[in-house]
Amino acid sequence: MNSLIISIFFLIVGCFFSINSVPLIKPNSSNINLEPGVFPMFLGILLIIISLFIIVSSVLQIINGKRKGIKTSDNNNEAEVSSYAIKDIIVVTISIIIFIVIWQLINFFVGLVILIFVLFKLFGIFKLKNYIIFAISLSLVIYVVFSLILKLNL
Amino acid sequence: MEFINALISLINPSVLMFLLVGVFLGSLIGTLPGLTATMGIALLVPLTFWLDSTSGFAMLIGLWNSAIWSGGISAILINTPGTPASIMTTLDGYELTKKGKARLALDINTVGSVFGGLFSTLILIVFAFPLSKITLKFGPPEYFALGVFGLTMMIAIGGTTLAKSLTMGIAGLLIATIGSDAVVGAQRFTFGNINLIQGINFIAMLIGALGLSEILYQIATREFFGNRDTNIKFGDEKINLSILKKIFLPSVASSGVGIIVGAIPAAGGDIASIISYGQAKKLSKNPQEYGKGSLVGLAISCVTNNSVIGGALITMLTLGIPGDTVTAILIGALISYGVQPGAQMFTNNAGLVYTIMCLMVLANIIILIYGLLMTRVMSKFLKLKKEYIWASVIVFSLIGSYALQYSLFDVSVMLLFSLLGLIAKINDYPLGPFILGFLLEPIIESNFNRSLVLSYGSIDFLWSRPITILFLGFSIISVLISMAIEVRNKKRNIKYND
């Protein structure tokens, strides 16, 4: 099922590049060079064809599976990712976005301490002592490496 | 003269310090299952842009060699390969640990890896310059065919199904078309966004797709680092002269296999060690010993892993195309330093070529000393909690992508590609063809265009030049073989299910 969704995504990507390549091709150009839109258009069409092939294969697989009463999954990893794991990924992503906002508006290290707090809670390893030691150590390493040695403005 | 200059540049204490840092970080990354050399290099590359190219490359070469070598440590001690290249090391390495000979196994891993690294560097030194003289004669049609060959090899080898690999390869090529067109400078798919004029930043994309996505995947699957029992009996037996004599000839042969496989685009250390181990077992007088703690079997897998590095460097330096994802990142780094890898590098930047060769030798010498003295201490790395590593990698991915050009847009690119990489990984869409497609797009498109101009708009160049025909022929054959294997496997599965 996931392969089907991903193939549809790639089909859209292929269509996007193909359609947006059209304005980059001048029909009556006398240039020997390929027009800037030709290569992406060719690739976009190729992507559309392969995506359609995977979509048809996936649909046939699902239909055959239903007929035989077999649950179809064409990869090993799909089953391992549960819905609560997806929730974890969403939390990590949102935490990163909030961290970037705090970094830009307040200070990098303030954002870092908050990000580590959220991650520790999420991973289920929060213990105040460990948290403080880890947050201070990581901040110190980053400060020394990036600010002092590499002279990078964080 | 340039060789002497390269040697002098290595005497610089800061270069040695960065090489040591690279070796140490590599040993940490390699020992911990779940962290790969590719991820480590992707995270480290942005930092090297703030250093001179010699120091930067010292750190990257140190990390690469060290991570591949230390991938064998967890393979030997806890039966879990630290990096994919160490997959075959588990077979005999862990058996030796079970027999109370962990110390001997670790010594063989160190000596074997260093032998492989040094032997492949020797081949690199001997063959790279003559090869570059041949590739210097390559014109745009040959480079176009070479780019296609590199990509099709990755597509043929790199994934579970050809259709998925092909999809990812084309997606990589398409994403790379965003930005200014290399031939006439036209803006493609930028939609007025000034951040996209230079295209998607390759390194930011790599950090996301190969670094953060791996951590997100581990979080999503709650992937554990295997058996974490570190109460290991190391034993007193050490490597000695009679063992060295016993493993010498098989090591030379497996180095050869590693170098050849490493030089082929897309074939990495895991494939090389599987081929090498399988062949050695077939040719051995005592094949029954393999997989039961054979010292020769262990040496072969360790030697092959590191000899792949020299082979991959031959392809990277002489042809300018990546042999695997690590060399893809290194090519990205070289371009960022203002150096175009390929035959031109041997004339325009010969000093850097010599420096890379010298760094390879020096890195392996450091690994030998560090490995023989410190592996027991390094086994303590295995006690590190994975959650601390996850948190650290997330933070370093963010800083690394920001450090490239102080751009939050790059951070967003990194985050976007980490999520796309995660989805791809969950659904068995291989990232290798995507990365290679992205990197090879300018080579393929611009050389195709130049070839057209040279042949006055005709596509005769595709079949009128022998080397072009050779590479394009190999490309078609590799895809056809991959298709045939897939069809055969499907038929077998249908037969088995019925």
Side-chain angles (χ1 to χ4, degrees):
Chain A
M1 193 62 176
N2 281 1
S3 272
L4 188 67
I5 297 165
I6 292 185
S7 305
I8 293 169
F9 168 75
F10 279 119
L11 182 71
I12 295 166
V13 171
C15 291
F16 171 83
F17 277 96
S18 301
I19 293 164
N20 285 293
S21 297
V22 177
L24 296 166
I25 303 169
K26 288 176 194 158
N28 299 319
S29 170
S30 57
N31 210 338
I32 299 173
N33 278 328
L34 281 185
E35 290 291 317
V38 173
F39 191 62
M41 178 176 269
F42 168 73
L43 293 172
I45 293 168
L46 215 56
L47 192 59
I48 292 169
I49 294 167
I50 297 163
S51 303
L52 284 173
F53 170 77
I54 300 177
I55 289 169
V56 172
S57 310
S58 302
V59 170
L60 287 176
Q61 206 178 357
I62 292 167
I63 292 168
N64 284 339
K66 273 187 182 168
R67 204 177 289 160
K68 290 180 182 174
I70 306 164
K71 189 175 177 268
T72 53
S73 173
D74 55 357
N75 75 69
N76 306 323
N77 303 337
E78 201 177 301
E80 294 171 24
V81 182
S82 58
S83 56
Y84 81 88
I86 293 168
K87 195 190 81 189
D88 281 1
I89 298 301
I90 293 168
V91 173
V92 171
T93 311
I94 292 170
S95 315
I96 289 173
I97 293 166
I98 293 170
F99 162 73
I100 294 168
V101 173
I102 296 172
W103 177 6
Q104 293 305 304
L105 295 180
I106 306 171
N107 179 277
F108 173 83
F109 292 100
V110 174
L112 181 66
V113 169
I114 296 169
L115 178 68
I116 294 170
F117 175 80
V118 175
L119 293 177
F120 270 39
K121 281 280 184 192
L122 182 73
F123 300 154
I125 55 161
F126 185 82
K127 279 182 188 162
L128 190 63
K129 191 179 132 196
N130 290 353
Y131 165 67
I132 292 171
I133 292 171
F134 184 80
I136 291 175
S137 312
L138 193 63
S139 303
L140 208 63
V141 168
I142 290 168
Y143 179 72
V144 170
V145 173
F146 291 91
S147 299
L148 294 184
I149 299 175
L150 299 174
K151 314 271 183 222
L152 190 79
N153 276 332
L154 288 173
Chain B
M1 189 62 196
E2 271 156 337
F3 178 69
I4 293 164
N5 285 340
L7 278 178
I8 291 168
S9 72
L10 293 185
I11 300 167
N12 185 343
S14 78
V15 174
L16 287 174
M17 189 193 80
F18 283 112
L19 186 60
L20 280 170
V21 170
V23 169
F24 173 74
L25 289 175
S27 68
L28 181 69
I29 286 164
T31 307
L32 290 168
L35 302 184
T36 61
T38 311
M39 183 201 284
I41 288 182
L43 288 173
L44 203 64
V45 159
L47 308 191
T48 65
F49 294 155
W50 301 85
L51 307 169
D52 62 282
S53 56
T54 309
S55 302
F57 249 87
M59 202 146 70
L60 296 174
I61 294 278
L63 187 143
W64 188 13
N65 282 279
S66 175
I68 299 297
W69 150 67
S70 58
I73 295 172
S74 55
I76 289 166
L77 297 181
I78 59 168
N79 201 24
T80 309
T83 57
S86 306
I87 183 99
M88 301 310 280
T89 310
T90 54
L91 298 180
D92 292 296
Y94 188 60
E95 285 300 315
L96 285 167
T97 299
K98 283 202 287 189
K99 289 176 185 170
K101 294 179 178 177
R103 181 170 185 172
L104 175 63
L106 291 171
D107 282 358
I108 290 175
N109 178 46
T110 303
V111 174
S113 297
V114 169
F115 178 83
L118 288 175
F119 191 85
S120 66
T121 308
L122 180 73
I123 299 296
L124 172 72
I125 293 167
V126 172
F127 288 103
F129 277 88
L131 266 175
S132 73
K133 281 180 185 150
I134 297 169
T135 56
L136 206 56
K137 290 173 186 158
F138 281 13
E142 283 78 16
Y143 273 108
F144 160 73
L146 194 61
V148 173
F149 171 64
L151 188 60
T152 47
M153 281 301 286
M154 183 56 108
I155 286 168
I157 298 173
T160 47
T161 70
L162 191 64
K164 286 181 176 179
S165 294
L166 208 53
T167 305
M168 291 301 274
I170 294 168
L173 287 166
L174 272 174
I175 297 293
T177 60
I178 296 172
S180 297
D181 161 42
V183 181
V184 290
Q187 299 298 311
R188 295 192 292 200
F189 318 114
T190 55
F191 305 105
N193 186 338
I194 53 164
N195 292 303
L196 287 173
I197 290 173
Q198 297 293 321
I200 301 278
N201 188 300
F202 179 58
I203 303 293
M205 186 202 73
L206 278 177
I207 296 172
L210 299 175
L212 189 57
S213 77
E214 177 60 40
I215 295 303
L216 292 179
Y217 179 74
Q218 288 180 20
I219 293 169
T221 54
R222 285 288 189 267
E223 194 174 272
F224 289 94
F225 292 164
N227 170 19
R228 306 300 291 278
D229 175 21
T230 48
N231 294 322
I232 296 150
K233 285 177 187 164
F234 281 85
D236 294 323
E237 199 176 340
K238 295 181 198 170
I239 195 162
N240 56 42
L241 203 61
S242 69
I243 294 173
L244 284 176
K245 275 183 189 169
K246 194 178 169 185
I247 64 174
F248 179 72
L249 279 179
S251 297
V252 174
S254 48
S255 280
V257 174
I259 293 163
I260 293 166
V261 176
I264 298 170
D270 43 353
I271 294 172
S273 60
I274 291 167
I275 293 172
S276 185
Y277 190 90
Q279 289 304 314
K281 192 177 175 181
K282 266 186 197 167
L283 297 171
S284 171
K285 287 174 187 165
N286 305 305
Q288 72 283 359
E289 285 180 8
Y290 281 70
K292 290 174 185 163
S294 160
L295 300 184
V296 176
L298 174 64
I300 282 167
S301 60
C302 302
V303 168
T304 312
N305 293 344
N306 279 61
S307 58
V308 164
I309 297 175
L313 278 176
I314 293 174
T315 312
M316 179 188 114
L317 293 174
T318 57
L319 298 173
I321 63 162
D324 54 14
T325 42
V326 174
T327 42
I329 306 170
L330 292 181
I331 286 178
L334 277 172
I335 293 167
S336 302
Y337 296 145
V339 178
Q340 186 61 48
Q344 298 290 343
M345 191 178 165
F346 286 76
T347 45
N348 301 339
N349 292 87
L352 187 57
V353 177
Y354 283 120
T355 304
I356 290 171
M357 289 169 176
C358 294
L359 282 170
M360 281 289 293
V361 174
L362 207 55
N364 278 291
I365 293 168
I366 292 171
I367 288 170
L368 183 67
I369 300 164
Y370 178 65
L372 290 176
L373 295 176
M374 301 292 285
T375 31
R376 193 178 278 211
V377 179
M378 283 167 60
S379 66
K380 306 282 181 220
F381 290 161
L382 292 168
K383 287 185 176 169
L384 274 173
K385 274 192 170 179
K386 65 186 180 307
E387 290 86 353
Y388 293 150
I389 294 155
W390 290 347
S392 306
V393 173
I394 290 171
V395 172
F396 281 110
S397 301
L398 290 165
I399 305 174
S401 51
Y402 179 74
L404 293 167
Q405 41 193 1
Y406 291 118
S407 163
L408 278 182
F409 184 77
D410 287 344
V411 181
S412 321
V413 166
M414 186 277 295
L415 201 56
L416 175 71
F417 279 96
S418 68
L419 293 173
L420 292 176
L422 172 71
I423 295 167
K425 207 169 160 50
I426 290 169
N427 293 287
D428 268 354
Y429 277 79
L431 287 167
F434 180 81
I435 303 292
L436 230 64
F438 189 95
L439 196 70
L440 290 174
E441 192 278 335
I443 296 175
I444 293 173
E445 191 184 6
S446 62
N447 284 301
F448 185 80
N449 260 321
R450 282 188 202 126
S451 308
L452 270 183
V453 173
L454 287 174
S455 54
Y456 304 102
S458 158
I459 54 165
D460 284 356
F461 64 87
L462 291 175
W463 48 80
S464 61
R465 299 171 72 112
I467 296 171
T468 310
I469 295 172
L470 192 75
F471 282 128
L472 291 177
F474 279 145
S475 304
I476 295 166
I477 291 168
S478 64
V479 172
L480 287 178
I481 289 174
S482 177
M483 262 166 112
I485 291 171
E486 208 174 301
V487 170
R488 190 195 63 186
N489 289 347
K490 265 193 180 163
K491 277 184 184 169
R492 267 190 198 167
N493 282 346
I494 290 168
K495 215 175 178 183
Y496 177 78
N497 286 336
D498 287 343

